[in-house]
């Protein structure tokens, strides 16, 4: 590996991603991600599996250096660098596991995309978990900073998934309220549970509805100081009328001085540090999901067409991703 | 990523692995791996797919910087650093794609390993392709060096797969002959085709047979100067009697001064540079494939029990892998 010293630990990264993916499959990802201490029995209980099975998995995590002993006998904890590995693994898990049905049936997609898309769908949980591993480091911090700087009292999140970002925002300000909108009933149920667990359920309204439905009823975003949307708008912006309708409804509904913060991807970003992941992301969306990503210019035009007075953007940590901030 | 500067390009590696995995699925991996120039039409022809589909894939490879224009109009070539990325991708593809059925059904394996193993098997081609991407850099060179240094005239390869290593060895010495043994009919057919393509079919005998069958008939290895076995012996060494029978047959059949060169894995290698991938490899074999890997000492004892006079080993480029050289 003369030219790419940074590829030296490819085997490490591949192994960690596979081990964390197994953790997500058996349902211990949240326990590991929490960073708290746990026993072997805790792991089996959370996974709802025979302890012999989770003991072997735990032994593998310890051998890999991802989990370590603590000062308390028989209690374990993730290693200090676990969050770094989890973030890096997010890219691998998203690319290979979440998109596994696309990769495994690539030939079918290249012959007849629509038929293949009906036959081979992604597992929503795998998409959500890997996206969370990436997003917690790459998208959440810059969004949280902007919401805090604006002193936003009421925040709506479109495509909120399990509500992680919004719950984090509510946790930071006891006067803040939020609306989580998602078209998936499972995601909404998970968001309600997570809000209860975090003690913010009294300030979080969860709405099971599509983003497109805002055209006819802007109720869920009405009066928001900030409307967030992470990687959901690219599904609708290809249709200029729908884009204008949805974004226009958000603009109209925003409180005076409010803004939209849209984290999303641009088509084929060409900088050296971005081109590889952006190529995969753009290609998979176009050839496997019938989604044509906009360029930066097209994104800006779309916000302008919806009536926003000013839109600025900054790059996010994920290659090809941008945070668009559109002011009412 | 303060602590792990080498995780900075995790997104790059994940993206490249997914793009190359798609290439393997649509059957253009050999064309890309050859390093030769090709047209968009060539790509469609090799893939046996509509050109519109492979054109989009080619555009993604170019956008990612994995394929570049050449001086000849409309002819392309892989980038100079493609072999580095392919090697690194091998670990990701093996861990996440080849083992995808294990990961996707991890819960079932942890409840009832044998029932899950019957229901969810790996795709042999995915295992073979990712192993080739790793092996071409990590195992082949040290083995080729030893075979060349010994001036070996006749070489047998156990678990030869598509015959890549043996065909390379025959290409280096026009007087060298070889026997490729594999239990898979598909692998044997691929080896025969590859031998014809390389013009060495007159010197390569392909035998469809299990490694265990050598106990009753050592014909395929008779008179070999070197017997090779890459990552196949771990399947049989757990049973001491079978291990002694197979390795003993190889020892007996070797020409005077001959040796076995066995590339294989040890259980839970603990060095920092090895522990992560070795943990995944050991764990997947134990909990998903019912294969308990030996320690270095157990490997050495196994060769000694089979009658070899001296066995030495060196680490290979793959974490947890060793090259055992056992002298008759």
């Amino acid at each position: 590996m003369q030219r790419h010293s940074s590829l030296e630990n490819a085997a490490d990264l591949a192994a960690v991603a596979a081990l964390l993916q197994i953790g997500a499959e058996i349902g211990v990802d949240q326990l590991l991600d929490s960073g708290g201490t746990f026993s072997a029995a805790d792991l089996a209980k959370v996974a709802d599996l025979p302890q012999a099975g989770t003991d072997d998995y735990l032994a593998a995590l310890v051998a890999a250096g991802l989990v370590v002993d603590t000062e308390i006998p028989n209690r374990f904890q993730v290693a200090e660098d676990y969050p770094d590995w989890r973030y890096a693994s997010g890219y691998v898990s998203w690319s290979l596991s979440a998109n596994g049905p696309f990769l495994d049936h690539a030939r079918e997609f290249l012959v007849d995309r629509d038929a293949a898309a009906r036959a081979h769908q992604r597992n929503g949980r795998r998409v959500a978990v890997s996206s969370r591993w990436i997003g917690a480091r790459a998208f959440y911090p810059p969004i949280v900073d902007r919401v805090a700087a604006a002193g936003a009292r009421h925040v709506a999140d479109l495509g909120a998934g399990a509500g992680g970002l919004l719950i984090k925002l509510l946790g930071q300000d006891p006067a803040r309220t939020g609306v989580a909108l998602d078209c998936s009933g499972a995601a909404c149920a998970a968001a309600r549970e997570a809000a209860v667990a975090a003690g913010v359920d009294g300030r979080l309204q969860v709405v099971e509805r599509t983003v497109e439905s805002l055209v006819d009823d802007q109720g869920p975003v009405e009066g928001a100081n900030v409307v967030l949307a992470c990687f959901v708008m690219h599904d609708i912006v290809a249709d200029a009328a729908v884009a204008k309708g949805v974004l226009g409804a958000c603009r109209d509904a925003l409180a005076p001085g409010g803004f939209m913060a849209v984290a999303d991807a641009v088509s084929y970003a060409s900088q050296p540090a971005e081109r590889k992941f952006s190529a995969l992301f753009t290609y998979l969306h176009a050839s496997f999901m019938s989604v044509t990503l906009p360029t930066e210019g097209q994104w800006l035009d779309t916000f302008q067409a919806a009536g926003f007075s000013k839109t600025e953007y900054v790059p996010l940590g994920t290659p090809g991703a941008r945070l668009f901030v559109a002011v009412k």
Side-chain angles (χ1 to χ4, degrees), chain A residues 13 15-34 57 82-95 97-98 125-141 318:
Chain A
L13 177 59
V16 173
L19 287 169
L20 296 196
Q21 187 63 36
I22 290 171
E25 296 297 331
I26 64 174
V28 301
D29 52 313
Q30 301 269 12
L31 177 63
L32 294 173
D33 293 356
S34 74
Y57 175 64
Y82 177 88
D84 297 340
W85 286 105
R86 182 183 58 208
Y87 171 62
S89 294
Y91 290 105
V92 178
S93 288
W94 184 84
S95 300
S97 280
R125 190 177 136 71
R126 284 180 195 137
V127 175
V129 170
S130 55
S131 298
R132 175 162 52 83
W133 288 345
I134 297 171
R137 180 165 300 189
F139 318 146
Y140 292 9
T318 295

